[in-house]
Amino acid sequence: EILAKGINKQSDALPLQRAQIILDVTDKRFSDALTTARTIQKTHPKEHKCRGEVFGKNQHTNNSDT
């Protein structure tokens, strides 16, 4: 909740957005994590790794479930 407030106040704060992605991936909310990663890509085009990290975590989780 505090993180969300920080992102709302400073929506382009990269460290806050990355922290949100980590929380979303940890909670297996991959679509939310991807939404945040796409936002980062729009506001910080050089930060292309974020979306790949989400896909990698999602793939690893899906593989460990089987």
Side-chain angles (χ1 to χ4, degrees), residues 1-24 29 32 35-37 39-40 43:
E1 188 174 313
I2 293 172
L3 186 58
K5 287 180 183 179
I7 291 173
N8 285 336
K9 285 185 178 184
Q10 197 171 13
S11 62
D12 64 340
L14 192 56
L16 296 176
Q17 291 172 318
R18 284 183 172 266
Q20 185 63 58
I21 289 173
I22 292 168
L23 290 175
D24 288 341
R29 295 189 312 255
D32 293 340
T35 299
T36 303
T39 299
I40 291 173
T43 57

Side-chain angles (χ1 to χ4, degrees), residues 45-59:
K46 294 184 180 183
E47 294 297 326
H48 61 279
K49 295 189 301 184
C50 293
R51 201 163 147 205
E53 290 171 1
V54 173
F55 279 120
K57 297 285 186 189
N58 187 10
Q59 198 65 356

